[in-house]
Amino acid sequence: PARVLGARYCMPDMPWNHTMEFAVKSGPEGQMITRFVEACGSLTDVPYLFVGVAIGACVMGFVYLLCLKCFTSFLVWSSIYGSSLILLLLGAGFLLTAQNLTGRQADSPLYKEYEPEQAHLYSLILGGVSAGIGFLILCLACCLRSS
């Protein structure tokens, strides 16, 4: 008689001798390997799930292509304006943190990692560059949109 190990492999069922089971489960990497084998072994029990996921992925891909065909202009311009807005907000956040206008300067990862003077300089640089790039993208988008 045998019993299942790792949802995939058989091991002799000998209640009086657990030497092999102990060696497999408690070896140097036994627990990690056992969990991995159990996870992989359980995947053989759900072939319909893989088929369903593959079909769902194909359907979602075709729906995405249809949306891209119908809403191309909207998707492109909204992603440009959205990225510009994110960069402007990020720049404003860095600049506000640098001047401690939020009152949360001590909670900033920059101020926790670096000396206050250096963190202030980094925050000003990151805020200026982020806001500058965001403003540049916004200006270019507006100019391209109007032409």
Side-chain angles (χ1 to χ4, degrees), residues 38-77:
E38 286 176 357
C40 291
S42 65
L43 292 178
T44 61
D45 298 335
V46 288
Y48 298 115
L49 178 68
F50 287 124
V51 172
V53 167
I55 291 172
C58 290
V59 169
M60 287 173 46
F62 284 120
V63 168
Y64 175 74
L65 289 175
L66 180 66
C67 287
L68 196 59
K69 181 181 177 185
C70 297
F71 307 112
T72 304
S73 178
F74 173 75
L75 290 173
V76 168
W77 289 111

Side-chain angles (χ1 to χ4, degrees), residues 8 16 32 37 40-41 46 50 52 56 77 82 99:
R8 189 171 186 171
W16 63 91
M32 182 177 64
V37 168
C40 291
V46 288
F50 287 124
W77 289 111
Q99 302 304 323

Side-chain angles (χ1 to χ4, degrees), residues 20 29 34 48 55 57 64 66 73 76 78 102 107 110 132 134 138:
M20 184 165 61
E29 297 179 16
T34 303
Y48 298 115
I55 291 172
Y64 175 74
L66 180 66
S73 178
V76 168
S78 64
T102 59
D107 296 333
L110 281 174
L138 187 62

Side-chain angles (χ1 to χ4, degrees), residues 71-84 137-147:
F71 307 112
T72 304
S73 178
F74 173 75
L75 290 173
V76 168
W77 289 111
S78 64
S79 66
I80 290 172
Y81 288 128
S83 63
S84 175
I137 290 173
L138 187 62
C139 288
L140 285 173
C142 289
C143 290
L144 290 173
R145 183 83 173 171
S146 63
S147 63

Side-chain angles (χ1 to χ4, degrees), residues 94-144:
F94 277 118
L95 293 174
L96 290 173
T97 302
Q99 302 304 323
N100 200 18
L101 296 176
T102 59
R104 311 268 310 182
Q105 192 178 56
D107 296 333
S108 171
L110 281 174
Y111 284 86
K112 288 180 181 178
E113 184 73 25
Y114 299 105
E115 297 292 323
E117 297 83 20
Q118 195 174 11
H120 180 74
L121 178 66
Y122 288 163
S123 191
L124 286 174
I125 290 171
L126 286 170
V129 169
S130 296
I133 292 172
F135 186 69
L136 180 67
I137 290 173
L138 187 62
C139 288
L140 285 173
C142 289
C143 290
L144 290 173

